[in-house]
Amino acid sequence: MNKALVASEEWCKLEELGIPAIKARVDSGAKTSSLQATKVKIFTKGLEEWVRFEVNPIQDNRSISILCQARLVGLRTVKSSQGIAEERPVIKTQVGIGDQTFDIEVTLANRDTMEYRMLLGREALNDRFLVDPSESFLMGDISDDEMNGLYKPYMRKKDGLTIGLLASNPNLYSNKRIVEAGQARGHEVVFLNVESAYMKLDAIAPQVRYRGGNVLDKMDAVIPRIKPSVTFYGCALLRQFHTLGVYCLNSADAISKSRDKLYASQVFSKNDIHIPVTGFAKSPQDTKDLIRMVDGAPLIIKLLESTQGRGVVLAETNKAAESVINAFKSVQTNILVQEFIKEANGQDIRCFVVNGKVVASMQRQAQKGEFRANIHQGGKASLIKITSEERKLAVKSAKALNLDVAGVDLIRSNRGPLLLEVNSSPGLEGIENATGLDIANIMIETIERKLKYTSH
């Protein structure tokens, strides 16, 4: 029998599961084929066991989700590439590759962090194919336009809202996810570069205009994701949109408050929100007392405008702390000095708060030898169950700054949970990958609720 030649990656069709196209990695080193699946639930149908699960067939797009079900063949212990053994449900389904269609057994696995939503193992390849690992899509490629056509039935008709995403980089994971989520719910999402928008200030006809003179007068809502370097201008634009009656998911005032770490700390103190002991002084003459005030070294020194863990220093000794503080002050930089919570062991908790509720939370663990747990500093994220006290603290902190969307960072100390900081433009990649939740969709749903929008 002549065997067909397949490449290292091929497009597959899983018609019985309702999946018109899914990119698969062809891996002759793996025995079993596997499929990305979430919300896996085994149930009884008649006298047989079946399994219900959801598949996000397109990488980095949780907004297209297909509910599948199939008869359960059994449970199989499979070792991941990291050597971790886990029990996975096994189903049998038809797969189409090129002009060939045949039955294969597939294990259901959470492949969310993998580049491919499906893996074709050697059981599927045996007696059918030869593999050329140097090639791609020998059985035929699918263009982006063709993919959009195949998945159009899974997208709502665009009769929805017009939402502006006010940011700087359209290619960031978070920004791409928000655009996808809005489109999947039938809305038009327009990317607006902060620095390409400008304003007409006028009592009779105020306007926001965009690159080339286009008047932005059709916006129902704006989602601000303003980077720190353009906070002042971005907040001015948000105030202008607010003047025009556009709903902003986070107001200019709330973002400004959250970006000023000193002011935010004062708001937290006033609202009985517990934070690590923090000091602030203008004069270098007070450096020694500032260090004593936060119980001495080791201690944390933070630039007021630090972000993603940059501009945050751990001083191990009082002498080192004095040197760093005085160095910062010599260049007229505003800093906060904060007690170091040693018992946290380089861990913190990121709670994602939307509209007064914690919708997701993850634990971040700093790299060995590093005290900052931020994902951008190499921290590792994992799922965590937070306590009711931590949940209340996260909600109260976001509310104190009037933020509809906030990333609230907490730390576990010997005296209970403490608030580290509140971020007004929290990233989605770490928390979506750690929890498997579609946070971008929750943000769009919040806008719909605020505007009392119902799909037709």
Side-chain angles (χ1 to χ4, degrees), residues 163-172 175 179 189-199 208-212 214 216 219 222-227 229-231 233-235 237-238 241:
I163 300 170
L165 175 59
L166 190 64
S168 295
N169 182 355
N171 298 315
L172 280 185
N175 296 337
V179 171
V189 186
V190 183
F191 183 86
L192 302 172
N193 191 310
V194 175
E195 292 167 72
S196 297
Y198 51 102
M199 295 163 271
V208 177
R209 295 193 175 209
Y210 195 70
R211 197 186 287 140
N214 297 310
L216 300 176
M219 294 290 155
V222 167
I223 300 172
R225 294 194 61 81
I226 300 164
K227 64 183 181 181
S229 62
V230 291
T231 299
Y233 188 66
C235 286
L237 282 168
L238 283 178
F241 276 118

Side-chain angles (χ1 to χ4, degrees), residues 108-373:
L108 303 179
N110 191 338
R111 298 181 56 81
D112 249 11
T113 54
M114 305 292 182
E115 188 184 345
Y116 297 89
R117 294 314 211 200
M118 186 173 180
L119 183 144
L120 276 174
R122 61 179 176 273
E123 281 181 345
L125 305 171
N126 283 348
D127 301 325
R128 292 189 183 99
F129 302 108
L130 294 172
V131 183
D132 183 345
S134 66
E135 293 288 343
S136 291
F137 309 119
L138 289 172
M139 289 291 188
D141 201 355
I142 298 177
S143 70
D144 288 345
D145 285 346
E146 286 171 318
M147 280 293 277
N148 289 337
L150 289 169
Y151 281 101
K152 200 172 181 185
Y154 300 94
M155 305 279 282
R156 290 193 198 173
K157 192 176 166 225
K158 280 192 172 61
D159 58 357
L161 303 167
T162 301
I163 300 170
L165 175 59
L166 190 64
S168 295
N169 182 355
N171 298 315
L172 280 185
Y173 175 95
S174 301
N175 296 337
K176 288 201 292 190
R177 286 287 301 111
I178 288 166
V179 171
E180 287 166 0
Q183 289 173 344
R185 294 187 68 82
H187 306 302
E188 183 184 0
V189 186
V190 183
F191 183 86
L192 302 172
N193 191 310
V194 175
E195 292 167 72
S196 297
Y198 51 102
M199 295 163 271
K200 177 190 173 194
L201 305 173
D202 174 56
I204 298 163
Q207 290 177 338
V208 177
R209 295 193 175 209
Y210 195 70
R211 197 186 287 140
N214 297 310
V215 180
L216 300 176
D217 57 355
K218 300 281 191 294
M219 294 290 155
D220 296 297
V222 167
I223 300 172
R225 294 194 61 81
I226 300 164
K227 64 183 181 181
S229 62
V230 291
T231 299
F232 176 79
Y233 188 66
C235 286
L237 282 168
L238 283 178
R239 282 192 294 273
Q240 188 78 348
F241 276 118
H242 180 69
T243 300
L244 298 170
V246 178
Y247 169 68
C248 301
L249 187 67
N250 280 352
S251 69
D253 184 49
I255 292 169
S256 298
K257 280 182 187 171
S258 71
R259 290 274 160 92
D260 183 338
K261 286 188 170 57
L262 176 60
Y263 180 63
S265 298
Q266 290 172 319
V267 170
F268 301 142
S269 295
K270 185 183 168 189
N271 285 276
D272 194 31
I273 292 167
H274 294 263
I275 62 174
V277 178
T278 302
F280 180 78
K282 182 69 180 162
S283 168
Q285 291 170 335
D286 300 311
T287 299
K288 280 189 167 64
D289 193 41
L290 200 61
I291 292 167
R292 276 196 298 272
M293 201 165 68
V294 298
D295 289 336
L299 55 80
I300 303 289
I301 300 157
K302 283 183 182 179
L303 290 179
L304 273 186
E305 57 277 7
S306 63
T307 178
Q308 295 174 344
R310 292 189 289 268
V312 182
V313 178
L314 171 65
E316 303 268 11
T317 65
N318 285 354
K319 197 155 188 60
E322 276 185 56
S323 300
V324 174
I325 292 168
N326 292 336
F328 276 139
K329 287 197 174 298
S330 71
V331 289
Q332 304 295 302
T333 303
N334 286 318
I335 57 163
L336 288 177
V337 177
Q338 202 167 65
E339 75 171 309
F340 176 59
I341 308 298
K342 192 179 178 201
E343 62 268 23
N345 292 321
Q347 291 175 345
D348 71 11
I349 297 166
R350 161 61 62 91
C351 297
F352 208 101
V353 180
V354 181
N355 200 23
K357 282 190 185 132
V358 176
V359 297
S361 47
M362 64 174 172
Q363 180 171 277
R364 301 182 300 189
Q365 172 70 57
Q367 280 186 320
K368 198 171 180 185
E370 172 60 78
F371 70 97
R372 296 166 296 179

Side-chain angles (χ1 to χ4, degrees), residues 17 19 22 35-41 51-58 61-70 91 108-112 117 436-438 441:
L17 299 178
I19 298 170
I22 189 166
L35 178 67
Q36 177 271 343
T38 56
K39 299 180 185 173
V40 177
K41 193 166 180 64
V51 60
R52 187 182 293 116
F53 54 97
E54 283 186 19
V55 176
N56 303 116
I58 304 170
N61 188 339
R62 283 190 178 80
S63 300
I64 292 177
S65 184
I66 298 175
L67 183 64
C68 310
Q69 59 178 36
I91 63 166
L108 303 179
N110 191 338
R111 298 181 56 81
D112 249 11
R117 294 314 211 200
L437 294 170
D438 188 348
N441 185 65

